[in-house]
Amino acid sequence: MVLKKKIVVVGTGYVGLVTGVSLSEIGHTVICLDIDQTKVKKMKNGISPIYEPGIEELMKRNIEKGTLDFTTSYKQAFENVEVIYIAVGTPEREDGTADLKYIKQVALDIAYNIKNEVVIVIKSTVPIGTNEFLEKYISSLTKVKFHIVSNPEFLREGSALHDTFHGDRIIIGAENKYAASIVEKINQPFGIEIFTTNLRSAEMIKYASNAFLATKISFINEIADLCERLEANIEEVATGMGFDKRIGKSFLNAGIGYGGSCFPKDTKALVNIAGQEKFDFNLLRAVIEVNKKQQVLLVTKAKEYYGSLKGKRIALLGLAFKPNTDDMREAASIITSEKLILSGAEVVCYDPIAMDNAKKVLPEVVEFANSAEEALQNADAAFIMTEWEEIKNIPISKYSEKLRDKVLFDGRNCYDLNSFLVEDIDYFSVGRPSVLSKKQLV
Ligand code: UGA
């Protein structure tokens, strides 16, 4: 017997919207609350404010069933509410610490608006100890009974729905057994293993997981650099390592580093959290440094190739921090285009989905093309920044036909090296031998 609850999810970013939609899909009645009226109006019509494959279909289905609704009104949302999920952002402050202003505002709004006993579930990534702080903070503002549960999120943008329904684990952190059991029952229909901890451990599991994955990426990128110097091939090395179950096959793709709204922010936040405890998290600081170097790797390679980039016209293919998302946060394309322009190059770019967001964050002088082919037309060289399917499917002959200098720098190892042996083009990727048009692997 599934326990059906009336749930309110506060915040409709990636985490909030996906959580709300998924909870309604498994049978709960969900209201998603957001302060942005235009966004709420769109969502009520089944239009998603984020690009996430499959989400609109689920939104429409559950709106029609009457189990999913959207509102800007706390009063309306909190009527007879049993469980409130907080999924607002915890952005990075200038000093790298997490900014809790949105979460504190929501806590205040909850305290002033709840009328009956509720379970408050924290989905947002928050520094260790924040859940305890929220407990005290809300208690100081209301006499209504409530319980705090930490339920960190492990979904990836672009495959968020798949991750929600097929995740590896659900973490539930609570000091109160009754509250933990409610959240456990809410999640049971997902059929995913549930691991229960105390509040602080749950908060730490989230940071430690993201920091570990970021470490894997920086580690493989350092090995990739060594592979280039020692004439090994990172793809073979990563595959060979991945056979060992203790290492695992995933997150060993070398490339131009990690971006997005999570790894960069959470690694820096954890270094800061450690610092506050007078602990120097050396390893994680190195992971962050390696990633900075990695994000501009293609500029470094192009400079080595050309000597100077002055006057060169470079086509950037893919702008989002990874495929299947329109998210530009901390994308390598931002720092890469800035560096190219500072080096005197012209930049023309293309992304299948992220162009509108890219226009807001890339330097003004960057030109935007309507297709990959248009970007390549009259460019001297191309950089592959994001491994979109559309970009991986560009025939190699297109590059040699369109690019003036016939040189491709691939930051995501999209192509098989051997396919370049028959083409008149120089090809540089990450951690693998370069293919020069003289047809040698060097
Ligand atoms: C990440 C985690 O994977 C999720 O588990 C977590 O819930 C989420 O952060 C979060 O904290 O909200 P996400 O940032 O959406 O998810 O994207 P990932 O698929 O993890 O990729 C992050 C970055 O790492 C991308 O720039 C990607 O290109 C890069 N990456 C990933 C590599 O360079 N190599 C790899 O092998 C894997």
Side-chain angles (χ1 to χ4, degrees):
M1 189 40 202
V2 177
L3 176 85
K4 292 193 176 170
K5 287 282 176 193
K6 182 181 171 199
I7 298 173
V8 171
V9 179
V10 187
T12 57
Y14 272 97
V15 173
L17 184 60
V18 173
T19 302
V21 171
S22 306
L23 288 171
S24 70
E25 178 70 11
I26 58 169
H28 304 289
T29 304
V30 179
I31 299 185
C32 294
L33 181 76
D34 203 291
I35 47 172
D36 186 332
Q37 275 190 359
T38 353
K39 216 169 140 185
V40 166
K41 216 169 151 193
K42 278 190 179 167
M43 291 188 290
K44 268 178 161 312
N45 289 315
I47 301 166
S48 167
I50 52 161
Y51 175 80
E52 186 62 41
I55 191 116
E56 291 192 341
E57 202 186 312
L58 288 199
M59 283 169 80
K60 287 185 184 124
R61 183 155 78 217
N62 288 290
I63 292 170
E64 265 166 39
K65 268 201 309 193
T67 54
L68 179 64
D69 199 1
F70 299 88
T71 184
T72 51
S73 157
Y74 271 91
K75 208 163 167 245
Q76 184 199 336
F78 284 175
E79 209 166 282
N80 302 322
V81 64
E82 297 170 278
V83 183
I84 302 169
Y85 279 69
I86 303 184
V88 292
T90 51
E92 185 184 322
R93 284 207 203 95
E94 249 172 46
D95 63 0
T97 56
D99 190 342
L100 299 178
K101 68 174 178 227
Y102 299 117
I103 222 161
K104 277 193 194 156
Q105 182 58 48
V106 174
L108 201 77
D109 291 332
I110 290 176
Y112 290 153
N113 285 286
I114 45 169
K115 304 264 179 305
N116 46 285
E117 182 174 343
V118 288
V119 174
I120 301 171
V121 184
I122 314 294
K123 274 264 155 203
S124 311
T125 302
V126 289
I128 292 86
T130 305
N131 280 276
E132 286 170 9
F133 159 78
L134 288 172
E135 180 130 43
K136 287 196 194 104
Y137 184 56
I138 300 175
S139 305
S140 71
L141 300 166
T142 179
K143 292 274 166 287
V144 179
K145 201 170 171 190
F146 70 92
H147 311 278
I148 295 270
V149 174
S150 165
N151 175 215
E153 188 49 69
F154 301 102
L155 57 82
R156 289 164 299 172
E157 289 181 19
S159 51
L161 288 170
H162 175 271
D163 291 352
T164 307
F165 288 92
H166 307 278
D168 294 325
R169 77 311 207 179
I170 290 171
I171 301 292
I172 296 176
E175 305 305 324
N176 178 298
K177 283 212 167 80
Y178 158 78
S181 76
I182 299 262
V183 181
E184 234 174 276
K185 285 184 190 133
I186 287 174
N187 281 284
Q188 243 147 28
F190 287 121
I192 295 169
E193 187 164 342
I194 294 174
F195 183 61
T196 313
T197 69
N198 71 20
L199 282 175
R200 285 181 175 247
S201 299
E203 292 166 327
M204 182 57 105
I205 288 169
K206 170 68 191 193
Y207 276 108
S209 300
N210 273 0
F212 187 76
L213 292 170
T215 304
K216 250 185 138 176
I217 297 171
S218 280
F219 180 85
I220 205 67
N221 283 334
E222 289 279 81
I223 296 289
D225 192 325
L226 267 179
C227 282
E228 286 181 23
R229 291 163 203 263
L230 295 168
E231 296 173 34
N233 179 325
I234 192 64
E235 275 178 341
E236 291 171 0
V237 172
T239 307
M241 287 166 65
F243 281 113
D244 187 330
K245 291 193 186 65
R246 296 169 302 173
I247 296 172
K249 289 186 196 303
S250 52
F251 273 72
L252 291 180
N253 294 322
I256 47 174
Y258 60 79
S261 64
C262 306
F263 290 168
K265 166 174 82 75
D266 293 348
T267 44
K268 279 185 244 166
L270 191 53
V271 166
N272 264 291
I273 291 167
Q276 281 162 22
E277 299 305 313
K278 311 230 170 329
F279 175 72
D280 181 5
F281 204 150
N282 244 315
L283 175 63
L284 199 52
R285 279 196 296 107
V287 166
I288 295 167
E289 282 313 306
V290 168
N291 198 57
K292 277 190 197 153
K293 177 185 77 174
Q294 214 63 25
Q295 284 205 317
V296 294
L297 181 70
L298 298 189
V299 182
T300 312
K301 282 181 185 267
K303 275 187 179 160
E304 267 167 30
Y305 180 81
Y306 280 121
S308 161
L309 293 175
K310 208 160 186 231
K312 290 289 170 195
R313 184 173 169 85
I314 312 287
L316 296 196
L317 301 182
L319 301 168
F321 83 96
K322 67 172 192 177
N324 299 323
T325 177
D326 62 353
D327 200 334
M328 285 292 296
R329 284 175 286 181
E330 305 275 343
S333 59
I334 302 174
I335 180 84
T336 298
S337 50
E338 286 169 0
K339 290 260 179 221
L340 284 173
I341 284 156
L342 275 177
S343 311
E346 274 174 34
V347 176
V348 53
C349 61
Y350 169 73
D351 187 281
I353 298 288
M355 298 277 266
D356 286 346
N357 286 342
K359 283 177 189 162
K360 296 177 203 153
V361 291
L362 292 187
E364 262 180 29
V365 288
V366 166
E367 292 173 41
F368 290 85
N370 292 314
S371 64
E373 192 161 338
E374 193 184 305
L376 294 173
Q377 189 74 43
N378 296 323
D380 294 301
F383 285 11
I384 296 181
M385 308 297 295
T386 319
E387 67 277 33
W388 285 98
E389 274 310 305
E390 182 185 326
I391 290 167
K392 290 199 295 193
N393 286 330
I394 299 173
I396 296 163
S397 55
K398 270 275 173 279
Y399 297 104
S400 44
E401 181 192 319
K402 302 273 175 199
L403 294 174
R404 282 197 290 243
D405 292 340
K406 300 190 195 309
V407 54
L408 175 60
F409 298 90
D410 180 356
R412 298 291 178 187
N413 291 351
C414 291
Y415 291 98
D416 178 18
L417 288 180
N418 290 319
S419 35
F420 283 85
L421 291 172
V422 289
E423 293 290 339
D424 176 26
I425 184 165
D426 289 350
Y427 177 66
F428 299 91
S429 50
V430 183
R432 306 189 300 175
S434 308
V435 190
L436 297 181
S437 52
K438 290 184 186 65
K439 301 305 155 232
Q440 298 157 353
L441 298 181
V442 290

